[in-house]
Amino acid sequence: QVQLAESGGGLVQAGGSLRLSCAASIMISSFDYVGWYRQALGKQRELVAAITSGGTTNYADSVKGRFTISRDNAKNTWWLQMNSLKPEDTAVYYCNAGPYYSAGKRYDYWGQGTQVAVSS
């Protein structure tokens, strides 16, 4: 059973920082990519940041220069360092990893979500 365990969410004032963590129950070298998504109230889930097995990173335009994704294969863990937080960053954040295949279909693994709330 593959599990992704998230931690690090909380309440912070605008301009502050948080660091989210995601720990996988299997070697993350099994995945082509790991990343972070978020979903704000009333909005669709969006990609925040991702990193491939080769180290290539991708960020949403809204977080470039403020957020950093990193991973440690030895610890089977990846992080999202969030600096200069803004109220519009308020959302539930989900870590993900993938892909995997079942019955000919492609899927990702997902964490349970962690709440980030940024006050003005």
Side-chain angles (χ1 to χ4, degrees), residues 67-115:
F67 291 9
T68 304
I69 187 170
S70 60
R71 70 167 188 263
D72 187 333
N73 288 351
K75 295 181 178 180
N76 297 318
T77 301
W78 61 104
W79 299 269
L80 184 68
Q81 179 66 47
M82 304 185 293
N83 298 327
S84 301
L85 282 161
K86 303 175 180 180
E88 51 263 44
D89 296 318
T90 296
V92 177
Y93 285 70
Y94 300 89
C95 60
N96 82 307
Y100 75 93
Y101 297 88
S102 179
K105 297 181 180 179
R106 177 171 171 164
Y107 301 89
D108 281 8
Y109 293 108
W110 293 92
Q112 80 281 4
T114 185
Q115 177 71 58

Side-chain angles (χ1 to χ4, degrees), residues 9 12 25 34 43 89 100 120:
V12 65
S25 63
V34 299
K43 294 187 177 181
D89 296 318
Y100 75 93
S120 61

